[in-house]
PDB file of all heavy atoms in Angstrom:
ATOM      1  N   TYR O 491    -135.329  88.760  75.630  1.00 81.00           N
ATOM      2  CA  TYR O 491    -136.013  90.007  75.289  1.00 81.00           C
ATOM      3  C   TYR O 491    -135.043  91.022  74.687  1.00 81.00           C
ATOM      4  O   TYR O 491    -135.410  91.802  73.815  1.00 81.00           O
ATOM      5  CB  TYR O 491    -136.667  90.585  76.540  1.00 81.00           C
ATOM      6  CG  TYR O 491    -137.316  91.922  76.338  1.00 81.00           C
ATOM      7  CD1 TYR O 491    -138.531  92.053  75.665  1.00 81.00           C
ATOM      8  CD2 TYR O 491    -136.711  93.085  76.825  1.00 81.00           C
ATOM      9  CE1 TYR O 491    -139.126  93.292  75.480  1.00 81.00           C
ATOM     10  CE2 TYR O 491    -137.303  94.325  76.643  1.00 81.00           C
ATOM     11  CZ  TYR O 491    -138.512  94.417  75.975  1.00 81.00           C
ATOM     12  OH  TYR O 491    -139.092  95.652  75.793  1.00 81.00           O
ATOM     13  N   THR O 492    -133.798  90.993  75.138  1.00 84.00           N
ATOM     14  CA  THR O 492    -132.783  91.920  74.632  1.00 84.00           C
ATOM     15  C   THR O 492    -132.047  91.363  73.420  1.00 84.00           C
ATOM     16  O   THR O 492    -131.126  92.017  72.917  1.00 84.00           O
ATOM     17  CB  THR O 492    -131.759  92.237  75.731  1.00 84.00           C
ATOM     18  OG1 THR O 492    -131.040  91.033  76.069  1.00 84.00           O
ATOM     19  CG2 THR O 492    -132.439  92.783  76.976  1.00 84.00           C
ATOM     20  N   GLY O 493    -132.440  90.158  72.967  1.00 84.00           N
ATOM     21  CA  GLY O 493    -131.727  89.541  71.851  1.00 84.00           C
ATOM     22  C   GLY O 493    -130.341  89.072  72.238  1.00 84.00           C
ATOM     23  O   GLY O 493    -129.460  88.926  71.379  1.00 84.00           O
ATOM     24  N   ASN O 494    -130.141  88.868  73.553  1.00 87.00           N
ATOM     25  CA  ASN O 494    -128.833  88.457  74.086  1.00 87.00           C
ATOM     26  C   ASN O 494    -127.728  89.430  73.695  1.00 87.00           C
ATOM     27  O   ASN O 494    -126.563  89.057  73.553  1.00 87.00           O
ATOM     28  CB  ASN O 494    -128.479  87.041  73.623  1.00 87.00           C
ATOM     29  CG  ASN O 494    -129.566  86.040  73.956  1.00 87.00           C
ATOM     30  OD1 ASN O 494    -130.244  85.515  73.065  1.00 87.00           O
ATOM     31  ND2 ASN O 494    -129.767  85.783  75.234  1.00 87.00           N
ATOM     32  N   ASN O 495    -128.115  90.694  73.541  1.00 93.00           N
ATOM     33  CA  ASN O 495    -127.174  91.748  73.170  1.00 93.00           C
ATOM     34  C   ASN O 495    -126.625  92.400  74.428  1.00 93.00           C
ATOM     35  O   ASN O 495    -127.365  93.034  75.182  1.00 93.00           O
ATOM     36  CB  ASN O 495    -127.877  92.784  72.292  1.00 93.00           C
ATOM     37  CG  ASN O 495    -126.962  93.913  71.869  1.00 93.00           C
ATOM     38  OD1 ASN O 495    -125.777  93.921  72.175  1.00 93.00           O
ATOM     39  ND2 ASN O 495    -127.516  94.878  71.157  1.00 93.00           N
ATOM     40  N   ALA O 496    -125.321  92.273  74.656  1.00 92.00           N
ATOM     41  CA  ALA O 496    -124.709  92.781  75.887  1.00 92.00           C
ATOM     42  C   ALA O 496    -124.851  94.293  76.028  1.00 92.00           C
ATOM     43  O   ALA O 496    -124.866  94.825  77.136  1.00 92.00           O
ATOM     44  CB  ALA O 496    -123.231  92.396  75.929  1.00 92.00           C
ATOM     45  N   ALA O 497    -124.964  95.000  74.917  1.00 94.00           N
ATOM     46  CA  ALA O 497    -125.034  96.468  74.951  1.00 94.00           C
ATOM     47  C   ALA O 497    -126.466  96.990  74.871  1.00 94.00           C
ATOM     48  O   ALA O 497    -126.679  98.190  74.655  1.00 94.00           O
ATOM     49  CB  ALA O 497    -124.209  97.048  73.809  1.00 94.00           C
ATOM     50  N   TRP O 498    -127.469  96.133  75.064  1.00 95.00           N
ATOM     51  CA  TRP O 498    -128.852  96.549  74.892  1.00 95.00           C
ATOM     52  C   TRP O 498    -129.241  97.650  75.881  1.00 95.00           C
ATOM     53  O   TRP O 498    -129.784  98.685  75.490  1.00 95.00           O
ATOM     54  CB  TRP O 498    -129.784  95.347  75.070  1.00 95.00           C
ATOM     55  CG  TRP O 498    -131.198  95.598  74.649  1.00 95.00           C
ATOM     56  CD1 TRP O 498    -131.721  95.456  73.394  1.00 95.00           C
ATOM     57  CD2 TRP O 498    -132.285  96.040  75.482  1.00 95.00           C
ATOM     58  NE1 TRP O 498    -133.064  95.781  73.379  1.00 95.00           N
ATOM     59  CE2 TRP O 498    -133.440  96.149  74.660  1.00 95.00           C
ATOM     60  CE3 TRP O 498    -132.407  96.359  76.831  1.00 95.00           C
ATOM     61  CZ2 TRP O 498    -134.677  96.553  75.144  1.00 95.00           C
ATOM     62  CZ3 TRP O 498    -133.642  96.777  77.324  1.00 95.00           C
ATOM     63  CH2 TRP O 498    -134.758  96.858  76.482  1.00 95.00           C
ATOM     64  N   PHE O 499    -128.940  97.435  77.163  1.00 95.00           N
ATOM     65  CA  PHE O 499    -129.278  98.448  78.163  1.00 95.00           C
ATOM     66  C   PHE O 499    -128.439  99.711  77.974  1.00 95.00           C
ATOM     67  O   PHE O 499    -128.930 100.818  78.213  1.00 95.00           O
ATOM     68  CB  PHE O 499    -129.074  97.894  79.578  1.00 95.00           C
ATOM     69  CG  PHE O 499    -130.119  96.887  79.980  1.00 95.00           C
ATOM     70  CD1 PHE O 499    -129.823  95.523  79.993  1.00 95.00           C
ATOM     71  CD2 PHE O 499    -131.395  97.288  80.338  1.00 95.00           C
ATOM     72  CE1 PHE O 499    -130.788  94.593  80.358  1.00 95.00           C
ATOM     73  CE2 PHE O 499    -132.370  96.364  80.708  1.00 95.00           C
ATOM     74  CZ  PHE O 499    -132.062  95.017  80.718  1.00 95.00           C
ATOM     75  N   LEU O 500    -127.206  99.559  77.551  1.00 96.00           N
ATOM     76  CA  LEU O 500    -126.361 100.725  77.266  1.00 96.00           C
ATOM     77  C   LEU O 500    -126.978 101.578  76.167  1.00 96.00           C
ATOM     78  O   LEU O 500    -127.067 102.810  76.297  1.00 96.00           O
ATOM     79  CB  LEU O 500    -124.957 100.284  76.859  1.00 96.00           C
ATOM     80  CG  LEU O 500    -124.042 101.393  76.323  1.00 96.00           C
ATOM     81  CD1 LEU O 500    -123.732 102.402  77.415  1.00 96.00           C
ATOM     82  CD2 LEU O 500    -122.755 100.794  75.749  1.00 96.00           C
ATOM     83  N   ALA O 501    -127.398 100.945  75.077  1.00 96.00           N
ATOM     84  CA  ALA O 501    -127.988 101.683  73.956  1.00 96.00           C
ATOM     85  C   ALA O 501    -129.260 102.399  74.385  1.00 96.00           C
ATOM     86  O   ALA O 501    -129.485 103.569  74.038  1.00 96.00           O
ATOM     87  CB  ALA O 501    -128.267 100.731  72.798  1.00 96.00           C
ATOM     88  N   ARG O 502    -130.100 101.719  75.140  1.00 95.00           N
ATOM     89  CA  ARG O 502    -131.347 102.338  75.597  1.00 95.00           C
ATOM     90  C   ARG O 502    -131.068 103.508  76.540  1.00 95.00           C
ATOM     91  O   ARG O 502    -131.682 104.575  76.424  1.00 95.00           O
ATOM     92  CB  ARG O 502    -132.210 101.297  76.311  1.00 95.00           C
ATOM     93  CG  ARG O 502    -132.694 100.159  75.439  1.00 95.00           C
ATOM     94  CD  ARG O 502    -133.999 100.470  74.771  1.00 95.00           C
ATOM     95  NE  ARG O 502    -135.094 100.601  75.721  1.00 95.00           N
ATOM     96  CZ  ARG O 502    -136.350 100.860  75.358  1.00 95.00           C
ATOM     97  NH1 ARG O 502    -136.639 101.034  74.083  1.00 95.00           N
ATOM     98  NH2 ARG O 502    -137.306 100.964  76.257  1.00 95.00           N
ATOM     99  N   HIS O 503    -130.147 103.302  77.459  1.00 96.00           N
ATOM    100  CA  HIS O 503    -129.841 104.362  78.421  1.00 96.00           C
ATOM    101  C   HIS O 503    -129.217 105.561  77.719  1.00 96.00           C
ATOM    102  O   HIS O 503    -129.517 106.712  78.076  1.00 96.00           O
ATOM    103  CB  HIS O 503    -128.897 103.825  79.501  1.00 96.00           C
ATOM    104  CG  HIS O 503    -128.765 104.731  80.686  1.00 96.00           C
ATOM    105  ND1 HIS O 503    -129.781 104.937  81.588  1.00 96.00           N
ATOM    106  CD2 HIS O 503    -127.736 105.515  81.102  1.00 96.00           C
ATOM    107  CE1 HIS O 503    -129.391 105.790  82.522  1.00 96.00           C
ATOM    108  NE2 HIS O 503    -128.149 106.160  82.245  1.00 96.00           N
ATOM    109  N   ALA O 504    -128.362 105.306  76.728  1.00 97.00           N
ATOM    110  CA  ALA O 504    -127.769 106.401  75.953  1.00 97.00           C
ATOM    111  C   ALA O 504    -128.850 107.171  75.203  1.00 97.00           C
ATOM    112  O   ALA O 504    -128.796 108.410  75.110  1.00 97.00           O
ATOM    113  CB  ALA O 504    -126.725 105.854  74.990  1.00 97.00           C
ATOM    114  N   MET O 505    -129.838 106.462  74.681  1.00 96.00           N
ATOM    115  CA  MET O 505    -130.949 107.118  74.000  1.00 96.00           C
ATOM    116  C   MET O 505    -131.750 107.980  74.984  1.00 96.00           C
ATOM    117  O   MET O 505    -132.099 109.139  74.673  1.00 96.00           O
ATOM    118  CB  MET O 505    -131.865 106.073  73.363  1.00 96.00           C
ATOM    119  CG  MET O 505    -133.074 106.648  72.634  1.00 96.00           C
ATOM    120  SD  MET O 505    -134.208 105.372  72.033  1.00 96.00           S
ATOM    121  CE  MET O 505    -134.918 104.792  73.597  1.00 96.00           C
TER     122      MET O 505
END
Side-chain angles (χ1 to χ4, degrees):
Y491 176 75
T492 65
N494 306 111
N495 180 3
W498 192 87
F499 287 104
L500 171 66
R502 296 271 294 181
H503 193 70
M505 179 185 71

